[in-house]
Amino acid sequence: MRIREEAFPLAGPPLILAAFLVAAGRPWWSVPLALAAAFTCFFFRDPDRSAPDEAYLILSPADG
């Protein structure tokens, strides 16, 4: 699964700050930041999709 490039400016800073907090000896403080970065990457995912070939089906442009 790919991540859209628009996610990197949003997920990068919390991830860098989380890494800094781990290096500073505060690993528990980095958990919310790492979770925020993970959720951002999950939100901007770009999964591979395949459309069915049957003519009588209606195709929705969204997952939900």
Side-chain angles (χ1 to χ4, degrees):
M1 186 176 310
R2 295 181 310 259
I3 306 284
R4 300 279 306 173
E5 64 185 34
E6 291 87 355
F8 299 132
L10 298 174
L15 197 57
I16 291 170
L17 186 57
F20 175 74
L21 287 172
V22 168
R26 305 284 187 205
W28 288 107
W29 292 9
S30 66
V31 171
L33 294 169
L35 288 175
F39 176 76
T40 302
C41 290
F42 175 75
F43 185 80
F44 283 98
R45 71 193 186 283
D46 188 16
D48 295 325
R49 294 184 178 93
S50 61
D53 293 332
E54 291 83 12
Y56 60 87
L57 294 177
I58 298 172
L59 183 62
S60 173
D63 287 337

